[in-house]
């Protein structure tokens, strides 16, 4: 999302398949000047670590709706929406029991992400720079983060970083409805800007490769997508802790060569 539409949510970054929907591994902080505050924060941390699948879905529903509201979404008849529907034809329609819901954000940022409720968002700038096969590989990677449980952990981490300021369960309502608008915005931003570990990124790469293979699509798009991102420069982005794009491209190419 660019500054015109939603600078509130994301700083410019080269994200997408390099780890948009990710687990940062960072902790959360609170003031130790108050015993009550420390206890509340500890309670929030524990609650975050025990978020159920239902909790994650409800949080994802609210977070995705909030980001949609702050973004410029391509209309159903736009070239981007029509193209994305064509690209995803023949790919799975649901993941972990949730229907996949695709939308395109009109923005100059290069990004794509998915949440545990089946919410998948692709940015127009990413579509502009990549072929259909490459976009399909990127989305397969993001779906992999959901299927492999990475997105659930990312939501738990984002929730912990937000709810440490207040124990949402104190209101007696569900976790999702207890979070106010400001906290929801903070949670959404932390979730989208978080980072996966190298192991998670590699696992999502392989998931996409296997998904493309099973669905009968070309896998070379994964290789060329990484190569394009490598040319843009991993070191200049937020993603220097992730496997280098060039190394990931080689790994997928090796798998392609092995399976010929």
């Amino acid at each position: 999302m660019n500054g015109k539409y939603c600078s509130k949510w994301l700083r410019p970054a080269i994200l997408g398949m390099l780890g948009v929907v990710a687990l940062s591994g960072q902790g959360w902080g609170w003031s130790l000047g108050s015993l009550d505050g420390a206890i509340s924060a500890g309670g929030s941390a524990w609650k975050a670590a025990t978020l159920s699948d239902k909790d994650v879905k409800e949080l994802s529903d609210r977070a995705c709706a909030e980001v949609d509201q702050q973004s410029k979404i391509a209309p159903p008849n736009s070239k981007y929406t029509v193209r994305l529907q064509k690209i995803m034809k023949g790919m799975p329609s649901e993941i972990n029991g949730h229907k996949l819901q695709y939308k395109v954000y009109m923005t100059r940022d290069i990004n794509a992400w998915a949440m545990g409720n089946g919410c998948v968002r692709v940015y127009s700038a990413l579509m502009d720079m990549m072929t259909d096969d490459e976009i399909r590989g990127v989305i397969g990677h993001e779906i992999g983060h959901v299927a492999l449980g990475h997105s659930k952990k990312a939501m738990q981490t984002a929730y912990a970083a937000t709810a440490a300021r207040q124990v949402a369960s104190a209101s007696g309502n569900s976790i999702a409805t207890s979070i106010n608008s400001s906290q929801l915005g903070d949670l959404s931003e932390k979730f989208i800007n978080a980072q996966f570990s190298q192991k998670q990124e590699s696992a999502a790469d392989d998931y996409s490769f296997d998904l493309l293979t099973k669905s009968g699509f070309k896998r070379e798009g994964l290789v060329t997508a990484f190569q394009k991102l490598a040319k843009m420069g991993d070191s200049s982005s937020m993603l220097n802790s992730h496997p280098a794009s060039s190394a990931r491209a080689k790994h997928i190419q090796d798998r392609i060569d092995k399976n010929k």
Side-chain angles (χ1 to χ4, degrees), residues 175-233:
I175 288 175
T177 58
S178 297
I179 295 180
N180 62 37
S181 179
S182 176
Q183 291 172 328
L184 182 63
D186 191 22
L187 177 144
S188 301
E189 183 177 10
K190 284 181 169 60
F191 178 86
I192 294 173
N193 284 328
Q195 292 185 0
F196 288 121
S197 68
Q198 293 190 21
K199 182 178 180 180
Q200 289 170 326
E201 291 290 2
S202 296
D205 292 346
D206 284 328
Y207 182 94
S208 182
F209 178 93
D210 293 338
L211 180 63
L212 294 172
T213 301
K214 182 179 179 180
S215 301
F217 291 109
K218 295 179 180 179
R219 289 80 51 91
E220 286 78 6
L222 269 173
V223 177
T224 54
F226 282 134
Q227 290 172 340
K228 285 181 179 180
L229 292 169
K231 289 180 180 178
M232 298 179 73

Side-chain angles (χ1 to χ4, degrees), residues 32-208:
L32 297 180
S34 166
L35 179 60
D36 289 340
I39 293 173
S40 295
S44 295
W46 177 84
K47 186 64 177 177
T50 59
L51 286 180
S52 67
D53 290 340
K54 180 181 178 181
D55 292 331
V56 170
K57 182 184 183 302
E58 290 179 352
L59 283 171
S60 298
D61 285 342
R62 284 200 66 194
C64 188
E66 184 75 7
V67 182
D68 279 355
Q69 186 178 5
Q70 300 295 327
S71 305
K72 183 177 181 179
I73 299 174
N77 61 345
S78 76
K79 66 177 184 179
Y80 291 101
T81 302
V82 172
R83 182 187 174 200
L84 184 59
Q85 290 176 344
K86 179 182 177 181
I87 289 171
M88 297 314 296
K89 188 176 181 179
M91 291 282 276
S93 60
E94 64 176 48
I95 197 71
N96 292 353
H98 301 303
K99 183 178 179 181
L100 293 172
Q101 307 162 34
Y102 298 97
K103 291 184 181 180
V104 179
Y105 287 165
M106 301 302 298
T107 169
R108 292 189 296 270
D109 286 337
I110 298 171
N111 202 347
W113 48 266
M115 291 187 181
N117 63 337
C119 172
V120 181
R121 300 296 180 260
V122 184
Y123 294 10
S124 59
L126 178 72
M127 296 185 69
D128 287 339
M129 71 173 286
M130 292 193 173
T131 67
D132 290 359
D133 287 336
E134 290 165 351
I135 293 170
R136 195 178 291 113
V138 169
I139 295 176
H141 173 97
E142 299 304 333
I143 292 174
H145 282 310
V146 175
L148 298 171
H150 306 161
S151 296
K152 178 179 179 179
K153 293 178 181 179
M155 184 58 77
Q156 290 173 331
T157 299
Y159 173 79
T162 302
R165 304 182 186 128
Q166 175 185 349
V167 181
S169 59
S171 66
N173 298 322
S174 70
I175 288 175
T177 58
S178 297
I179 295 180
N180 62 37
S181 179
S182 176
Q183 291 172 328
L184 182 63
D186 191 22
L187 177 144
S188 301
E189 183 177 10
K190 284 181 169 60
F191 178 86
I192 294 173
N193 284 328
Q195 292 185 0
F196 288 121
S197 68
Q198 293 190 21
K199 182 178 180 180
Q200 289 170 326
E201 291 290 2
S202 296
D205 292 346
D206 284 328
Y207 182 94
S208 182

